[in-house]
Amino acid sequence: MTEPGQIDAAGEVRAAGDRALLVIPRLPATVAGLISALHPRPPGVVDVLPAAETVLVTLDSPRSLESVRKRLLALLTRLEAAARVGAGAGHLPDRPPADSGATGSAGENSEPAPVLIPVRYDGEDLPEVARLLGLSEAEVVAQHTGTVWRCAFVGFAPGFGYLESPDARLTVPRRTQARTAIPAGAVALAGGYSAVYPRRSPGGWQVIGTTDASMWDVDRDPPALVRAGTPVRFVDAGRQS
């Protein structure tokens, strides 16, 4: 049975059964920092499952519930404070503050190199995306390749990572009419996210390009090319030598 949540100004940590906690930050933008602060996993934590505005933390035992809850509330408070400082510089932090309580050495917590995904910017929605943003097609490509995106969470299909940019660039709506089939490898934008379709499926995102990168491969360990927290950089395949 779910217990009442424990709330402070930075957010809420709510029990979800006796082996999980649902974290609801007051500022959804701090989700990425929370994920980073929980890697490597602190004592008692088995897995961290992020969504757009929440994080589900699974535990090894009911005995870990209270200690992990206190750690999460402390992380929320520190991330909130760092976000207020970052807001003065025009951005929110995507890494935990130095005293966040995350375990591991500096090397373990250093930013990993981004996954590079070569893209042919031949998507049929590229002209419409450019029109919506008031940019040229070349400027859309330059902005798409000119930032490091980060996988906020995975959903819809195995290997479908919702990638967000630090400045919410290239935010466009979904298509007014969804397609019945979008091919695997389609690179698309919608609602402030970018993504690569891992398999042929229906979809309403704006397709701006294609890639040969395999987003999901059951013979690979791990099968997913990107997971929550993975940094990604898109590369214009047409400019590669």
Side-chain angles (χ1 to χ4, degrees):
M1 181 177 179
T2 301
E3 300 173 6
Q6 187 168 341
I7 307 173
D8 72 2
E12 179 179 359
V13 178
R14 182 183 302 169
D18 62 358
R19 291 176 182 262
L21 291 163
L22 182 66
V23 186
I24 309 172
R26 188 180 71 84
L27 296 176
T30 60
V31 166
L34 184 63
I35 295 167
S36 296
L38 293 173
H39 179 78
R41 303 289 182 251
V45 173
V46 173
D47 205 356
V48 177
L49 307 170
E53 298 184 353
T54 62
V55 178
L56 183 68
V57 179
T58 61
L59 310 175
D60 59 1
S61 165
R63 293 189 298 272
S64 300
L65 198 71
E66 193 55 34
S67 62
V68 174
R69 188 203 303 270
K70 290 178 180 177
R71 176 186 289 267
L72 292 171
L73 285 168
L75 283 172
L76 284 176
T77 299
R78 291 177 177 129
L79 287 166
E80 173 91 358
R84 286 197 294 269
V85 173
H91 69 279
L92 291 174
D94 59 2
R95 301 291 298 170
D99 62 345
S100 65
T103 59
S105 68
E108 289 174 319
N109 285 324
S110 62
E111 181 74 8
V115 172
L116 301 181
I117 299 181
V119 179
R120 296 178 295 275
Y121 286 94
D122 54 4
E124 59 185 287
D125 295 321
L126 181 57
E128 175 63 7
V129 167
R131 186 192 69 80
L132 289 168
L133 294 169
L135 301 172
S136 68
E137 293 180 23
E139 288 172 329
V140 172
V141 173
Q143 290 204 20
H144 196 247
T145 57
T147 189
V148 175
W149 299 74
R150 187 180 301 279
C151 182
F153 59 100
V154 176
F156 175 62
F160 190 101
Y162 288 74
L163 310 177
E164 58 184 6
S165 65
D167 55 4
R169 63 179 60 189
L170 303 183
T171 297
V172 293
R174 293 167 59 92
R175 287 170 49 88
T176 55
Q177 184 173 354
R179 293 185 172 93
T180 57
I182 293 180
V187 180
L189 297 166
Y193 295 103
S194 188
V196 180
Y197 280 76
R199 65 187 184 195
R200 181 180 176 88
S201 59
W205 290 41
Q206 308 270 7
V207 177
I208 62 170
T210 54
T211 182
D212 294 327
S214 176
M215 304 305 293
W216 181 262
D217 183 351
V218 294
D219 295 323
R220 184 171 58 202
D221 184 22
L225 183 61
V226 299
R227 295 175 288 175
T230 300
V232 173
R233 183 181 288 278
F234 294 101
V235 179
D236 186 353
R239 291 183 174 272
Q240 291 182 316
S241 57

